[in-house]
Amino acid sequence: MATFEPVLTRNWNVPDARTLKVYESRGGYQSARKALTTMDPDAVVNVVKDSELRGRGGAGFPCGLKWTFLPKDRKETLMCVNGDESEPATFNNRYLLERDPHMFLEGILISCFATRASTAYVYLRFEYINAYKIMEQAIEEARAAGHLGKNIYGTGFNLDVWLHRGAGAYICGEETGLIESLEGKRGWPRIKPPFPAIEGAFRKPTVVNNIETLCCVPHIIERGANWFKSIGTPKSYGPKLYTVSGHVEKQVCVELPLGVTTRQLIDDHAGGVWKGRKAKAAVPGGISMGLLSADELDVPLDFESLRKPGCLGLGTAAVTVIDDHTPIIDYLVNTARFFAHESCGQCTPCREGTGWMNKTIHRIKNGGGRIEDLDVMLHLANNLGIIPGTTICGLADGAAWPIKNAVAKFRGELEEYIRTHQTPGAGPTPLQLDIAAGRKVDLVTIGNAIAAPTAPPPAAALHSPGRPSA
């Protein structure tokens, strides 16, 4: 840890680091020149593959291996960069875009050269207006300087980069939902196979990578695969941007080797739990990843270790801290409401399941819970998602994991909440009691009788069509 040298954030505190002039003065685009002028595309793929760089967007799939899935005889390749970043409490990609846009563009340039892609689409979250404007300026600068466009560095390689803003839907963080949205359609995930590497955007072979993943590529080309693998933990190599938010004194985005612990992030970088309180739990990598209890805060935050305490994975490495004054039911209310709202509705188990879990949790919160509700929710969560094979994409898995973890790790608290937060209903009415008991009901006495007409019917009614003559 003491010898760790941050590379992804090395320009963040440099004045005007977002400009091309400053970026080039600090060695910017030298890795791209090295790759394009001294290496062939397959050599670049092999270096990235040897580094075992894993995708930073959530799934953690090996980046270089993903590039090798492209058909060898393809005529055209497209690159889609996933900048949707809609996982709650995640903001590391936004920092990369706003503080060092040319490092990101250099990563795109090298990755497109490696995969022979001549067009790259950057799919940005709609709300990232400032990042969008900064990226527009950076792309313009890069084109003017010859880092993008035709015949880059005299190698004959061409590349254009286009920005595309989404419409603020969580589901467009899923790669095929993103591609559908990019094509101007409703952001519904596609059934796979075919995978995007075979048939992606506009039915062409497409590489989909995350922003932070591509930002690692220039440093791998500059320093080599062995340097990258000297950082982190086995099977989880390299630097990582961790964000920390929630009940901490200071919300931060820090670059550290993969494998730090949640406790280190809270105590060493976020100023500790706020108001002098203790941590009850923490979300390790976006709310879809589940929940760590206070006893699990020393688990390394990498791609492998988080499965031991039952979390879905590292996700986006966006840590959200929950203090010991916060009921776990409040955490569940927020997560269930979010996923019920963001389900695209394409798969029935997800559409109906997230809705029913949201209703059940809100009923518990409002004093109408039953102990058996916990088992019903757990049964539903275990049968929801791409892992049990009932949905097309992983949104439902992300909706199920917070419930699985909360019931498993905080069942005692949830049962106590249900027992001590019962709000009696209004009870049955006298009419309902009479009907249930089979008693004759006197409608006049209970005030439900319909008064008999006292005046003759109107003339029009007497001669209405079909009425017999008087």
Side-chain angles (χ1 to χ4, degrees), residues 6 85 97 125 185 189 191 242 323-324 333 431 440:
E85 195 164 61
L97 294 170
R125 177 173 173 166
K185 303 171 187 171
I191 296 174
Y242 292 93
D323 72 18
D324 57 356
V333 165
L431 175 60
K440 182 179 180 181

Side-chain angles (χ1 to χ4, degrees), residues 86-101:
S86 49
E87 187 74 27
T90 306
F91 50 94
N92 44 15
N93 285 342
R94 176 168 64 84
Y95 271 36
L96 287 168
L97 294 170
E98 293 180 349
R99 301 188 179 199
D100 204 347

Side-chain angles (χ1 to χ4, degrees), residues 427-465:
T429 64
L431 175 60
Q432 290 171 325
L433 289 174
D434 287 341
I435 293 173
R439 292 190 289 268
K440 182 179 180 181
V441 177
D442 185 349
L443 296 179
V444 175
T445 302
I446 64 175
N448 269 15
I450 300 174
T454 57
L462 292 175
H463 301 287
S464 59

Side-chain angles (χ1 to χ4, degrees), residues 126-279:
F126 177 81
E127 295 90 336
Y128 284 2
I129 297 171
N130 194 38
Y132 177 81
K133 292 177 179 176
I134 291 170
M135 282 301 303
E136 275 195 322
Q137 179 66 30
I139 291 171
E140 186 176 331
E141 286 183 318
R143 281 181 181 145
H147 298 302
L148 297 177
K150 304 291 185 185
N151 193 25
I152 299 170
Y153 309 147
T155 61
F157 179 67
N158 306 324
L159 175 63
D160 265 324
V161 177
W162 304 99
L163 299 180
H164 182 93
R165 293 172 68 189
Y170 178 80
I171 195 63
C172 291
E174 198 276 343
E175 60 180 5
T176 57
L178 181 154
I179 288 172
E180 287 283 303
S181 174
L182 181 69
E183 293 178 351
K185 303 171 187 171
R186 185 174 182 174
W188 273 10
R190 295 176 180 173
I191 296 174
K192 297 177 280 290
F195 291 92
I198 306 299
E199 189 175 298
F202 309 106
R203 303 300 171 184
K204 299 180 186 298
T206 302
V207 178
V208 184
N209 282 134
N210 160 267
I211 289 174
E212 187 181 342
T213 308
L214 296 188
C215 285
C216 291
V217 173
H219 305 291
I220 293 172
I221 297 300
E222 177 189 356
R223 301 172 184 235
N226 289 335
W227 162 80
F228 193 79
K229 294 181 71 173
S230 70
I231 303 169
T233 58
K235 298 185 179 180
S236 297
Y237 301 115
K240 182 76 188 79
L241 294 183
Y242 292 93
T243 61
V244 190
S245 61
H247 297 157
V248 289
E249 291 291 349
K250 184 173 59 176
Q251 299 188 2
V252 294
C253 176
V254 291
E255 180 185 357
L256 295 165
L258 270 167
V260 298
T261 67
T262 304
R263 198 180 305 281
Q264 287 175 305
L265 288 172
I266 296 172
D267 295 341
D268 299 344
H269 301 279
V273 181
W274 72 351
K275 303 178 182 178
R277 298 175 183 172
K278 296 180 180 178

Side-chain angles (χ1 to χ4, degrees), residues 280 322-323 325-332 365 413 417:
K280 172 188 282 188
I322 301 170
D323 72 18
H325 286 47
T326 303
I328 288 299
I329 188 66
D330 286 353
Y331 155 79
L332 286 179
K365 170 66 179 176
E413 178 184 326
Y417 183 91

Side-chain angles (χ1 to χ4, degrees), residues 18-35:
R18 67 177 63 165
T19 65
L20 178 62
K21 180 179 178 182
V22 173
Y23 184 70
E24 286 183 326
S25 72
R26 295 177 59 80
Y29 286 106
Q30 291 305 310
S31 295
R33 288 185 182 277
K34 175 183 176 182

